């Protein structure tokens, strides 16, 4: 059982920056991918970004590409999503996700992830 501890989030003005982080209690070596999903009120949960733990290969949704950067720090055992140029459409609860044995074609699928964080609120004001 993997526990995911999320931190960060908060309120920021449009055009500003914010970061959220996630620390897993343990890691597996079998094609581990960690990712961020988000869910806005009345909307479906959607993929934001993901990263392969070992190689650092990153994946982004079209809506955040060029604005957000996902990274992982192996020494600190943390994954971070740096969010720049935020707009009101980025307002959502952001969830950390953890999946082992994830193939590339499944990185953006919720079903690929076994463990989930409790979510952290990101609110962008105009």
């Amino acid at each position: 059982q993997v526990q995911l501890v999320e931190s960060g989030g908060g309120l920021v003005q449009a055009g500003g920056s914010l970061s959220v982080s996630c620390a897993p209690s343990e890691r597996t070596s079998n094609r581990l991918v960690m990712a961020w999903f988000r869910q806005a009120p009345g909307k479906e949960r959607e993929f934001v970004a993901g990263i392969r733990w070992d190689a650092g290969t990153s994946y982004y949704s079209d809506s955040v590409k060029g604005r957000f950067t996902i990274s992982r720090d192996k020494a600190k055992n943390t994954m971070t999503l740096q969010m720049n140029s935020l707009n009101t459409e980025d307002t959502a609860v952001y969830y950390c996700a953890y999946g082992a044995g994830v193939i590339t074609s499944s990185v953006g699928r919720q079903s690929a992830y076994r463990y989930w964080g409790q979510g952290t609120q990101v609110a962008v004001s105009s």
Side-chain angles (χ1 to χ4, degrees), residues 92-106:
V93 176
Y94 283 68
Y95 296 90
C96 176
Y98 176 112
V102 180
I103 61 176
T104 299
S105 61
S106 297

Side-chain angles (χ1 to χ4, degrees), residues 32-89:
L32 173 63
V33 173
M34 294 188 67
W36 291 97
F37 288 75
R38 67 186 182 187
Q39 187 166 24
K43 301 292 183 64
E44 297 181 15
R45 189 171 298 185
E46 65 175 355
F47 173 76
V48 178
I51 188 166
R52 292 194 177 277
W53 189 266
D54 288 337
T57 308
S58 58
Y59 309 86
Y60 298 94
S61 68
D62 290 339
S63 63
V64 307
K65 194 172 299 181
R67 299 188 297 123
F68 292 8
T69 302
I70 190 169
S71 64
R72 87 278 189 262
D73 187 326
K74 291 183 177 181
K76 295 181 178 180
N77 195 41
T78 58
M79 174 187 67
T80 299
L81 183 69
Q82 177 66 46
M83 301 177 284
N84 299 323
S85 301
L86 285 161
N87 56 60
T88 55
E89 287 71 42

Side-chain angles (χ1 to χ4, degrees), residues 3-51:
Q3 305 295 320
L4 301 174
V5 180
E6 300 178 357
S7 61
L11 176 65
V12 66
Q13 292 184 353
S17 298
L18 200 65
S19 67
V20 290
S21 296
C22 179
S25 61
E26 59 186 86
R27 289 177 284 104
T28 64
S29 60
N30 181 27
R31 286 188 169 187
L32 173 63
V33 173
M34 294 188 67
W36 291 97
F37 288 75
R38 67 186 182 187
Q39 187 166 24
K43 301 292 183 64
E44 297 181 15
R45 189 171 298 185
E46 65 175 355
F47 173 76
V48 178
I51 188 166

